Amino acid sequence: MKYFLMFLCLLLISCNQSSKENPGTSNLNSYELSLTEAKAFVHSIEEAHNKEDWDKEEIVSFDIQLLMGGEERLKARIYTFTNSSKIRVDKKDGSSLIFDGKRVFQSPAAAPVNGARFDMFTWQYFFAFPFKLSDKGTNWELKEKETMKDISFPKAKLTFDATTGDAPDDWYILYKEPKSNLLYAAAYIVTLNTKKEIAEEEPHAIVYHDYELFKNIPIATRWTFHHWNDTEGIGEQIGEAKIENIEFPTLKRNFFEAPDDSREIELN
């Protein structure tokens, strides 16, 4: 009886200590616990990327050279508010795309419109991705880890509320580097001008490489694009982007206003 009472006391002490080390978890059901773990996944990436300092900056700009299938798809300088509220894309051909916070314009008005909506938002979003994970309207689900090259990568799926952004039917599956917590890759679909079911037949992935510090903020300076599927994961490379001349400039407010020689691009 004496030994049983000693065992009971030790058990109670252990349970109490566990409760102190993990406050608030004892009363969570499995769904709530999964949600909490997903939020921890997001927070760890934001912390690794120093989102706190990113949010202190107003504007960031960078050069992008995008190659797809060995051919240059885009060469431009992109300017964006760090909260993505306004964006400007100055292409090497002299044309520009401007998002003033509500509408998208193209200048000059006679410039070809092909791919304007895609170029306006996609590359800026991929660049700012690690800092947008807890934006309003984002929903998270923790996924099973995936092993690549003997490394086990934590994963989570990002979906959006129906009224969020330009393409709320898009989804992403994020891979996190297990040691640094930096964003390693993201599988994604593009529902622009197509149905979600069709887009899901051909998902792709972006992998982030060559992180460098800019004002103590880690930013990937090379991206690679790949085929992807839920069974085999990240597959053959199909494209690449180089990111250079990253700066946090001070610009006049009218820099993100449409010039006289421009026309509005419909988003829908």
Side-chain angles (χ1 to χ4, degrees):
M1 185 66 177
K2 179 176 68 174
Y3 295 108
F4 173 76
L5 291 174
M6 290 176 61
F7 171 77
L8 185 60
C9 289
L10 289 172
L11 181 62
L12 289 172
I13 292 171
S14 175
C15 290
N16 186 53
Q17 183 65 28
S18 177
S19 177
K20 290 180 180 179
E21 292 175 354
N22 300 282
T25 62
S26 58
N27 295 323
L28 295 178
N29 60 37
S30 59
Y31 171 77
E32 291 171 328
L33 183 59
S34 176
L35 187 62
T36 300
E37 291 173 344
K39 289 181 178 179
F41 175 94
V42 172
H43 177 72
S44 66
I45 295 176
E46 291 178 334
E47 189 173 42
H49 282 268
N50 196 3
K51 184 178 186 298
E52 183 178 358
D53 280 0
W54 169 272
D55 288 342
K56 293 176 183 177
E57 301 292 336
E58 184 177 41
I59 297 169
V60 62
S61 64
F62 59 95
D63 292 335
I64 181 171
Q65 182 185 27
L66 176 67
L67 303 174
M68 287 293 183
E71 297 184 0
E72 188 174 85
R73 165 69 176 76
L74 175 70
K75 191 170 186 179
R77 183 155 189 85
I78 297 179
Y79 304 81
T80 175
F81 275 62
T82 54
N83 64 4
S84 302
S85 59
K86 296 182 181 182
I87 308 167
R88 176 167 174 153
V89 181
D90 289 342
K91 299 183 179 182
K92 75 170 185 178
D93 64 7
S95 66
S96 296
L97 297 169
I98 300 123
F99 174 56
D100 66 2
K102 295 181 179 179
R103 298 177 295 172
V104 171
F105 296 89
Q106 181 171 272
S107 177
V113 73
N114 292 341
R117 178 180 170 187
F118 191 77
D119 288 340
M120 180 80 268
F121 296 108
T122 303
W123 317 117
Q124 180 274 344
Y125 190 81
F126 282 152
F127 180 86
F129 202 12
F131 312 101
K132 300 186 66 61
L133 306 183
S134 56
D135 280 1
K136 184 178 180 180
T138 54
N139 305 299
W140 288 92
E141 176 191 355
L142 207 63
K143 308 292 285 186
E144 290 186 8
K145 293 182 179 181
E146 183 173 326
T147 300
M148 294 182 288
K149 298 179 181 179
D150 297 325
I151 300 174
S152 182
F153 288 86
K155 295 194 311 181
K157 184 173 184 178
L158 167 63
T159 56
F160 303 91
D161 290 345
T163 57
T164 302
D166 190 42
D169 285 336
D170 287 357
W171 54 251
Y172 297 83
I173 295 179
L174 276 68
Y175 295 71
K176 181 181 71 169
E177 291 186 353
K179 291 184 178 180
S180 67
N181 286 332
L182 293 173
L183 181 59
Y184 173 72
Y188 62 92
I189 61 169
V190 178
T191 59
L192 178 65
N193 297 326
T194 189
K195 293 182 179 180
K196 180 180 179 181
E197 294 77 12
I198 297 176
E200 287 180 328
E201 294 177 359
E202 195 175 1
H204 295 95
I206 176 173
V207 180
Y208 292 93
H209 306 266
D210 303 339
Y211 277 98
E212 296 181 19
L213 288 177
F214 299 88
K215 288 196 171 183
N216 205 34
I217 300 168
I219 298 175
T221 59
R222 185 169 69 91
W223 311 339
T224 55
F225 296 89
H226 303 255
H227 290 301
W228 182 92
N229 65 60
D230 196 37
T231 303
E232 300 175 356
I234 299 171
E236 178 186 5
Q237 182 177 330
I238 56 175
E240 182 174 358
K242 294 180 181 179
I243 308 299
E244 298 179 314
N245 300 319
I246 298 170
E247 298 176 342
F248 293 91
T250 300
L251 300 172
K252 294 182 178 179
R253 291 282 171 170
N254 63 4
F255 185 79
F256 294 92
E257 295 177 2
D260 292 335
D261 184 13
S262 63
R263 61 169 165 162
E264 186 175 353
I265 302 296
E266 295 295 332
L267 294 182
N268 297 311

